[in-house]
Amino acid sequence: MSELSPLFEVFLRGRRGLDHIHVGSLHAQDAGQALEYARDTYIRRSEGVSIWVVESKDIHASQESDVASFYDPMDDKPYRHATHYTLPDGVDNM
Amino acid sequence: MAEANDLEQVFENKIDAEEKIEPKDWMPEGYRKNLIRQMSQHAHSEVIGMQPEGNWLTRAPTLERKSVLLAKIQDEAGHGLYLYSATETLGITREEIVQALHDGRAKYASIFNYPSLTWADIGAIGWLVDGAAIVNQVALQRTSYGPYARAMVRICKEESFHQRQGYESIAVLARGSAQQKAMAQDALNRWWWPSLMMFGPHDADSAHSAQSMLWKIKRKSNDELRQSFVDQTVSQAEIIDLEIPDPDLKWNEQRQHFDFGEIDWDEFKQVINGNGLCNRERLAQHKKAHANGAWVRDAVAAYVKGKTGESGE
Amino acid sequence: MGDKKLDDQIAEYALRLGDDALVFGQRLCEWCADAPTLEEDIAISNVGLDYLGRARMALQYAGKTLGRTEDELAFLRDSGEFRNLLLVELPRGDFAFSMVRQYLLDEFELLFFTQLCGSKDDTLGAIAAKTVKEVRYHQRRSANWMQRLGLGTQESQARTQAAIDQLWGYMPELFEMDELETSLLQAGIAVDRLELHSKWLNTVTAQLASANLQIPQIDWQVVGGRKGVHTEHLGHMLGEMQFLQRAYPGLQW
C-alpha cells in the first residue's frame, strides 16, 4: 500500500526584483524533493531564478464567508489610492 | 435554505460578471463534479498522450529530433502535472484521480488509442493533435474556474512549440524522398479524422456541453472549435503539398468557412468503447508503471517517516 | 594546431565521451511514461536531455576531425565502432538499478568533468564546464535517491544493494587509462582517470554506507567498451536507435 505524499505549493521569482508568484503545486515527500521537482517541472524554460515551496496544509486562507468583514471595509477608503487626489494643472506625475 | 440560495446567487453573479471561481469559493456540487470530470480527463490525456510519442523516442532519426521529442513529451508530463494539481484544488487527491483512470471511470482523449506506426506520425501528432488541442485550450484560457484557466495559460504558452515542431517535422518529410512523402501523406490520412473527433460529438449530441457552457467551463462549442481547427489547417496542408483526406472539403464563400465531410461517428464510438487498436495497451502501460513504482513510493514514504521520527525523538 | 596525430587522438577522446553520453541518454529515454511518479518522469527526462545535449556537443566535435556529422556517428556506426563504457549500455533494469548506475556515474563524472575543465583543448574544456553544472545537479539528485532507497523499506534496500552488486564489476572500466588517454594526459588534454579512483571510492563508500548499503566484495570485472568490444545489449539498442537511418539511408529528417 502506497502512502500519499504531501502536496506542496510552488512559488517562482521570475526575475530578480520581482515578487514570488504562485505557479502551481506538486507532490513530494519532503521540502527538498519538492524543490528538486519544482525545478524540473516549473522552470523547464528558465522561467525563474528562485523557488519557494510550501506545504499546502501550511497555507491559511481567508474564507469566502469572511468576504464581507475582510474586504468590504476596505472599499470605503478611496483616499488610500493616489487617484483620489486631483493634482493642479502642470503637475503631471506624482 | 435561504443561505444556500444566497450562496448560489453569489456564485451565479460571479459567473455572469465573468469573474473567476476560486478554490475556496462556494460552488454548486454539479459544477465541482463537472470540473473534476473535464479537468482530470484533460490531465489523463496529457499523460496517456506521452505513450504514442514515447513509442518513437528511442527510434527518432536524428539526435536533434530525439532531443526535441524528449523535451516535448516532458512538457506533456508537466502539463499533466499542472492539470492534476489544478484538479486537486477541488478537493480530490491525485491518488483518487489516478484510481478513477485505472477503474475506467475517468476517460482520456480517445485519439491516443490510435497507434503511432511511422515516424511521420510524430509530425502528424504535433501538427494535428496538438493543433486541435491548442484550439480547444486557447478557448479554455477563459474558463470560469481560476486554477484551470491559469493552467491553460501556462500550457498554451508551451504548446505552440509542440505544434510548430510537428508541422516542421512533417514538412521535411513531405518535401523529402517519395517514400518519405508517402509516409507523411499516410500519417495525415490516419490522423485527420481522429483529430476532428477530438472536439467531441456535435453540439446537439453532447451530453455535458450545455451545462458546461452555462457555467462557462466551456467557452466555445464543440462544432465551433472544430470549424476553426479545419479553417486554420487546410492552408497549412496545402503549403506543404499534402492532401487532406476529405473529398467534401471546400471553401464556402457564404459561410466564410470550409465545409467538410461528416465524421464517422460509428468509428468514434467504437474507439471510445474500447475497440481502438491501443485502448488496452495504453491503460495497461499506465497501470504497469504505477504498480512497478509502488515499492519506490513506499520506500520514499518510509524514509521520510524514519527521518522525521528520528528528529522527533 | 595542424598536428594531425594529435587531432585524431582528440577526436577519438571526444568520441568516447560522446558515445558514453549518447548510449546513456538513450537508456534514460526508456523511462519515458514508465517512471514511479509523474514528477520523477519529468526529472528523468531532464537528466536525459542533458546527456543528449552533451552527446551532440562531443560528437560534433569528434566529427569535425573525422569528417562525419553527429548523426552519421550516432546512426551509421555498428557496435564494434562504438567506444562507450559497458556500464552505460546495460539494460535499464528496475528503478533501483537505473538510479544506482546514475549515482555511481554521477560521482565519477563530477570528478572527471571538474578536471576536464582545465583541459588545454578549449572545446573539451568548454564542454566540461557546461557538463559540470549539469552533473552537480544530477549527483545531488541521485545521492538523495541512494538515501531514500537504502533507508526506505526492506525491499528498496534489497533491490538497491542487488543493483550495486550487479554493477560493481563494471566500475574498473571508468578508471582505465590506455595508450591514447595517457598520451593525451601528457599533452595536458585528457583527465587522469586513475587519479580519480581513490577519491571516488571514498565518496561512494561513505555515501552508500550512510544509506545502509555496502560495497560488494566481488572477484569479477569486465572491460572492453573503449576497444569496441561490447555486451550483447548494445547491438539491440542500436538496432532500435538506428532503425530509420538504416531503413531509409541518406535522407533528411
Side-chain angles (χ1 to χ4, degrees):
Chain A
M1 187 199 103
S2 193
E3 291 207 29
L4 290 178
S5 53
L7 191 64
F8 285 82
E9 301 299 323
V10 181
F11 300 80
L12 273 192
R13 185 199 293 289
R15 276 203 324 273
R16 301 188 68 79
L18 298 182
D19 289 327
H20 282 79
I21 292 176
H22 182 246
V23 292
S25 56
L26 48 78
H27 286 275
Q29 281 299 346
D30 53 30
Q33 194 182 36
L35 273 176
E36 290 174 22
Y37 285 152
R39 179 252 193 202
D40 289 329
T41 302
Y42 288 99
I43 54 170
R44 298 196 302 283
R45 291 172 173 76
S46 316
E47 292 93 335
V49 295
S50 161
I51 306 173
W52 288 348
V53 293
V54 184
E55 243 193 271
S56 310
K57 70 173 170 56
D58 292 330
I59 292 186
H60 300 273
S62 59
Q63 299 298 310
E64 192 184 22
S65 49
D66 297 333
V67 148
S69 59
F70 256 60
Y71 305 109
D72 288 358
M74 313 301 179
D75 286 351
D76 63 356
K77 298 180 184 65
Y79 47 82
R80 304 193 78 143
H81 299 274
T83 47
H84 180 68
Y85 304 92
T86 44
L87 293 174
D89 291 347
V91 182
D92 287 338
N93 296 308
M94 181 179 288
Chain B
M1 211 53 225
E3 200 178 317
N5 285 339
D6 284 353
L7 289 170
E8 183 129 22
Q9 196 52 54
V10 171
F11 171 82
E12 297 290 347
N13 291 346
K14 280 186 195 142
I15 296 279
D16 291 344
E18 291 284 328
E19 277 181 35
K20 298 293 181 212
I21 306 300
E22 293 295 344
K24 304 272 173 183
D25 294 352
W26 184 91
M27 61 187 84
E29 195 48 29
Y31 179 83
R32 183 192 305 274
K33 283 204 172 124
N34 197 323
L35 271 175
I36 289 177
R37 183 189 54 77
Q38 179 170 335
M39 290 168 70
S40 65
Q41 174 170 341
H42 199 159
H44 294 322
S45 301
E46 298 280 357
V47 171
I48 297 291
M50 295 164 70
Q51 290 185 38
E53 294 184 290
N55 182 38
W56 281 92
L57 183 56
T58 52
R59 291 180 289 172
T62 71
L63 295 183
E64 173 157 12
R65 295 274 179 221
K66 191 190 291 290
S67 304
V68 169
L69 186 57
L70 180 55
K72 175 183 189 278
I73 301 172
Q74 187 198 32
D75 276 351
E76 313 290 6
H79 298 171
L81 190 56
Y82 300 162
L83 285 161
Y84 281 134
S85 61
T87 312
E88 284 181 271
T89 62
L90 292 160
I92 182 170
T93 66
R94 175 96 68 88
E95 295 271 316
E96 290 169 320
I97 300 170
V98 170
Q99 193 56 49
L101 174 70
H102 289 181
D103 295 346
R105 283 177 286 128
K107 293 203 175 79
Y108 55 87
S110 196
I111 194 157
F112 299 122
N113 292 318
Y114 288 83
S116 64
L117 299 176
T118 73
W119 171 251
D121 289 21
I122 297 307
I125 290 173
W127 173 33
L128 303 173
V129 180
D130 288 314
I134 292 170
V135 168
N136 192 27
Q137 287 167 170
V138 165
L140 282 173
Q141 291 181 101
R142 291 170 50 242
T143 190
S144 58
Y145 188 55
Y148 195 20
R150 290 191 288 274
M152 281 303 118
V153 170
R154 181 171 280 274
I155 287 172
C156 284
K157 230 190 259 172
E158 300 184 355
E159 286 266 350
S160 59
F161 131 67
H162 295 181
Q163 192 187 14
R164 278 190 198 195
Q165 66 81 32
Y167 184 60
E168 190 251 10
S169 169
I170 202 167
V172 166
L173 300 180
R175 62 169 185 267
S177 74
Q179 274 176 315
Q180 284 175 313
K181 169 130 203 210
M183 205 186 269
Q185 182 63 55
D186 169 61
L188 174 56
N189 293 348
R190 282 182 292 108
W191 291 94
W192 173 254
W193 290 105
S195 300
L196 296 195
M197 293 176 198
M198 279 176 76
F199 296 97
H202 285 310
D203 299 341
D205 309 324
S206 178
H208 304 284
S209 272
Q211 185 59 61
S212 290
M213 294 286 282
L214 279 180
W215 276 331
K216 296 183 181 172
I217 292 175
K218 283 177 82 152
R219 302 310 308 255
K220 285 185 174 172
S221 79
N222 294 353
D223 287 324
E224 278 178 282
L225 292 167
R226 186 161 24 233
Q227 182 70 60
S228 16
F229 174 70
V230 171
D231 289 347
Q232 76 180 35
T233 311
V234 170
S235 66
Q236 294 167 359
E238 274 167 13
I239 288 167
I240 58 174
D241 200 22
L242 291 178
E243 198 181 329
I244 289 176
D246 179 358
D248 298 327
L249 186 73
K250 62 170 186 298
W251 178 248
N252 184 323
E253 191 59 37
Q254 264 186 327
R255 292 202 309 127
Q256 288 292 301
H257 286 296
F258 280 94
D259 291 335
F260 54 97
E262 189 55 80
I263 287 169
D264 181 350
W265 294 109
D266 184 51
E267 177 184 323
F268 177 75
K269 283 186 203 116
Q270 288 286 331
V271 176
I272 281 192
N273 291 332
N275 297 318
L277 275 160
C278 299
N279 296 58
R280 288 153 309 284
E281 283 91 336
R282 301 294 185 235
L283 199 55
Q285 167 58 33
H286 196 275
K287 285 180 182 173
K288 187 198 91 180
H290 193 72
N292 286 345
W295 70 266
V296 180
R297 297 190 299 273
D298 288 345
V300 178
Y303 168 73
V304 171
K305 211 183 223 172
K307 219 174 49 167
T308 47
E310 270 169 36
S311 63
E313 272 169 35
Chain C
M1 269 186 284
D3 183 340
K4 169 117 181 32
K5 181 161 174 280
L6 186 63
D7 285 351
D8 286 347
Q9 286 180 326
I10 292 173
E12 174 74 14
Y13 193 62
L15 194 64
R16 292 176 176 192
L17 302 183
D19 284 351
D20 285 345
L22 171 60
V23 171
F24 196 60
Q26 175 79 2
R27 284 294 184 218
L28 289 173
C29 286
E30 295 171 359
W31 277 103
C32 181
D34 209 27
T37 64
L38 193 54
E39 281 84 350
E40 200 54 40
D41 215 302
I42 294 170
I44 295 174
S45 294
N46 256 359
V47 179
L49 284 169
D50 287 345
Y51 276 94
L52 288 177
R54 191 200 308 174
R56 296 184 62 195
M57 287 190 295
L59 292 181
Q60 280 166 14
Y61 187 43
K64 256 166 74 178
T65 304
L66 299 171
R68 306 178 82 179
T69 66
E70 60 178 73
D71 288 326
E72 285 167 347
L73 289 171
F75 297 98
L76 299 178
R77 282 179 300 152
D78 204 345
S79 66
E81 298 164 273
F82 269 76
R83 292 289 178 263
N84 58 281
L85 298 163
L86 299 179
L87 172 73
V88 294
E89 73 195 40
L90 300 175
R92 100 184 182 185
D94 66 2
F95 188 75
F97 188 89
S98 273
M99 204 45 84
V100 167
R101 168 164 62 181
Q102 184 77 56
Y103 171 66
L104 296 173
L105 192 61
D106 287 344
E107 291 288 8
F108 171 79
E109 289 189 335
L110 195 53
L111 299 172
F112 180 89
F113 286 105
T114 303
Q115 285 290 315
L116 191 63
C117 285
S119 172
K120 281 190 179 159
D121 183 274
D122 292 343
T123 308
L124 288 176
I127 293 174
K130 181 169 190 307
T131 303
V132 161
K133 282 189 216 158
E134 298 167 352
V135 174
R136 234 175 252 139
Y137 188 77
H138 301 170
Q139 182 273 343
R140 195 179 111 165
R141 168 174 171 271
S142 63
N144 283 340
W145 269 113
M146 289 304 99
Q147 295 288 314
R148 293 183 197 115
L149 296 179
L151 303 174
T153 60
Q154 270 188 343
E155 181 180 6
S156 69
Q157 196 276 344
R159 282 176 184 262
T160 309
Q161 185 62 55
I164 298 169
D165 297 350
Q166 287 169 47
L167 285 162
W168 200 252
Y170 296 93
M171 292 301 117
E173 195 175 29
L174 271 63
F175 303 95
E176 213 180 42
M177 290 296 286
D178 60 3
E179 208 177 310
L180 173 87
E181 299 205 6
T182 308
S183 156
L184 285 174
L185 171 64
Q186 280 157 5
I189 290 166
V191 174
D192 187 353
R193 292 170 179 269
L194 277 173
E195 195 194 56
L196 308 179
H197 185 258
S198 65
K199 194 163 182 202
W200 175 84
L201 188 62
N202 288 341
T203 309
V204 165
T205 308
Q207 174 69 244
L208 293 179
S210 75
N212 192 27
L213 298 163
Q214 279 83 46
I215 303 304
Q217 299 300 317
I218 54 160
D219 55 4
W220 62 274
Q221 64 174 68
V222 284
V223 296
R226 298 302 193 210
K227 292 192 181 70
V229 181
H230 291 276
T231 66
E232 292 175 346
H233 306 297
L234 184 64
H236 292 280
M237 174 195 273
L238 297 183
E240 185 175 342
M241 186 174 89
Q242 299 179 338
F243 160 69
L244 280 166
Q245 293 277 5
R246 299 289 195 178
Y248 305 92
L251 303 178
Q252 297 298 309
W253 298 91

